């Protein structure tokens, strides 16, 4: 239960959910996340580090580039369910 609570805490931030939503489309390089969010590299890196610590994302290094993806199908399903449910509660506006 404590571990699940930490996961929900990590998911309890709109910016982190936006990052996970971006990763749900497929593997993305950190620089692409920075460009997509308009945030600074250190901000994105810190967010990804927290998500990785909680087991929500995986990373892969290719030379100088680091790519991130959702850790597994459980994370994808959890994210999809949360977004679907939020859409239902707000009349579909997500």
């Amino acid at each position: 239960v404590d571990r699940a609570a930490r996961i929900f805490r990590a998911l309890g931030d709109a910016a982190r959910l936006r990052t996970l939503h971006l990763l749900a489309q497929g593997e993305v390089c950190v620089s692409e996340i920075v460009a997509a969010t308009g945030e600074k590299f250190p901000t994105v890196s810190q967010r990804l580090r927290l998500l990785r610590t909680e087991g929500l994302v995986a990373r892969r290094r290719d030379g100088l580039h680091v790519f991130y993806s959702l850790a597994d199908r459980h994370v994808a399903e959890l994210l999809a369910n949360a977004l679907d449910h939020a859409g239902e509660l707000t009349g579909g506006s997500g």
Side-chain angles (χ1 to χ4, degrees), residues 29-44:
C29 178
V30 175
S31 60
E32 293 172 318
I33 298 171
V34 168
T37 62
E39 297 174 323
K40 296 182 188 277
F41 188 88
T43 302
V44 171

Side-chain angles (χ1 to χ4, degrees), residues 4-57:
R6 288 199 322 262
I7 290 170
F8 278 111
R9 266 194 303 277
L11 294 172
D13 175 76
R16 289 192 290 263
L17 282 176
R18 281 189 209 92
T19 300
L20 290 170
H21 186 48
L22 177 65
L23 296 177
Q25 311 309 310
E27 187 178 67
V28 181
C29 178
V30 175
S31 60
E32 293 172 318
I33 298 171
V34 168
T37 62
E39 297 174 323
K40 296 182 188 277
F41 188 88
T43 302
V44 171
S45 291
Q46 182 179 8
R47 183 174 304 128
L48 289 166
R49 183 173 32 256
L50 184 144
L51 292 170
R52 186 167 170 256
T53 298
E54 295 307 329
L56 297 170
V57 300

